[in-house]
């Protein structure tokens, strides 16, 4: 019995290491982008970016008066989440700081796991908020919402490339 559990623990450790590396790799382009913008006097503001995307989405959806309350709940939740992410990132940066590279590996992994749990919780809440708002949309608005959400990443990347080239 003990022999069959050992590979599971090994696999679990390897999986966590891989996830941590993947998450770090996913944040690297944004971190480089933020660093490049900061060096030019700009910094990434997740609250402003969220507000901008929400304003664009609201305009495209052409909401009916009966949908305004649901929109306010949805948009306020996303803005609050962006503020929370910004505060969480600032807290993480101040906690880890320059000592991150010198931290023992198990401690790094614990901090990464805590950060990932926090991100997963935020994503679950955002999914629930989105589902509630999505439920009040007409079929046409749902199509617009889906297309807007699908294209938001591409637009963000094009904007990033434009800033990098100029």
């Amino acid at each position: 019995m003990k022999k069959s559990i050992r590979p599971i623990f090994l696999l679990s450790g390897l999986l966590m290491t891989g996830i941590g590396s993947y998450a770090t790799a996913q944040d690297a382009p944004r971190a480089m982008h933020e660093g490049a913008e900061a060096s030019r006097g700009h910094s990434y503001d997740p609250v402003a970016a969220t507000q901008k995307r929400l304003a664009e989405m609201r305009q495209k959806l052409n909401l009916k008066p009966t949908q305004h309350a649901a929109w306010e709940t949805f948009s306020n939740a996303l803005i609050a989440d962006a503020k929370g992410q910004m505060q969480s990132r600032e807290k993480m940066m101040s906690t880890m700081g320059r000592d991150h590279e010198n931290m023992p590996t198990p401690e790094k992994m614990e901090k990464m796991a805590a950060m990932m749990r926090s991100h997963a919780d935020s994503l679950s809440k955002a999914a629930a908020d989105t589902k509630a708002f999505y439920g009040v949309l007409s079929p046409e608005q749902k199509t617009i919402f889906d297309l807007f959400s699908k294209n938001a990443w591409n637009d963000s990347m094009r904007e990033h490339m434009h800033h990098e080239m100029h």
Side-chain angles (χ1 to χ4, degrees):
M1 179 87 174
K2 286 185 179 179
K3 289 183 180 181
S4 65
I5 293 175
R6 197 177 239 164
I8 292 171
F9 285 127
L10 179 61
L11 180 60
S12 174
L14 291 172
L15 180 62
M16 287 305 295
T17 303
I19 290 172
S21 299
Y22 176 77
T24 302
Q26 295 301 307
D27 286 341
R30 185 175 65 193
M32 289 188 306
H33 174 62
E34 290 169 7
E37 285 191 348
S39 69
R40 291 189 302 248
H42 304 287
S43 65
Y44 177 75
D45 182 352
V47 176
T50 300
Q51 290 170 330
K52 179 182 176 196
R53 284 190 305 271
L54 286 170
E56 292 169 0
M57 181 183 284
R58 183 177 185 156
Q59 181 183 7
K60 290 181 186 301
L61 288 174
N62 193 25
L63 298 171
K64 308 287 184 251
T66 57
Q67 297 171 316
H68 287 197
W71 171 262
E72 290 303 317
T73 300
F74 170 71
S75 61
N76 288 339
L78 291 184
I79 292 169
D81 182 58
K83 288 177 182 175
Q85 286 180 19
M86 192 164 77
Q87 291 168 348
S88 175
R89 190 174 103 217
E90 289 169 359
K91 180 180 175 186
M92 183 188 71
M93 296 304 281
S94 68
T95 301
M96 286 189 178
R98 293 188 175 112
D99 295 333
H100 178 70
E101 289 187 25
N102 298 324
M103 239 182 242
T105 300
E107 190 175 338
K108 281 183 195 178
M109 292 177 75
E110 287 173 9
K111 288 187 182 285
M112 182 66 74
M115 183 176 62
M116 292 170 92
R117 282 190 296 274
S118 176
H119 287 178
D121 291 345
S122 293
L123 184 58
S124 292
K125 184 178 179 332
D129 294 335
T130 300
K131 186 176 183 179
F133 175 65
Y134 196 82
V136 304
L137 297 176
S138 70
E140 296 82 17
Q141 289 172 319
K142 287 179 180 180
T143 300
I144 293 167
F145 187 96
D146 290 340
L147 288 171
F148 185 87
S149 298
K150 179 181 173 184
N151 292 325
W153 173 254
N154 292 333
D155 292 344
S156 175
M157 289 305 294
R158 275 191 287 276
E159 191 174 300
H160 167 73
M161 295 304 290
H162 176 75
H163 287 299
E164 289 298 313
M165 296 174 84
H166 297 299

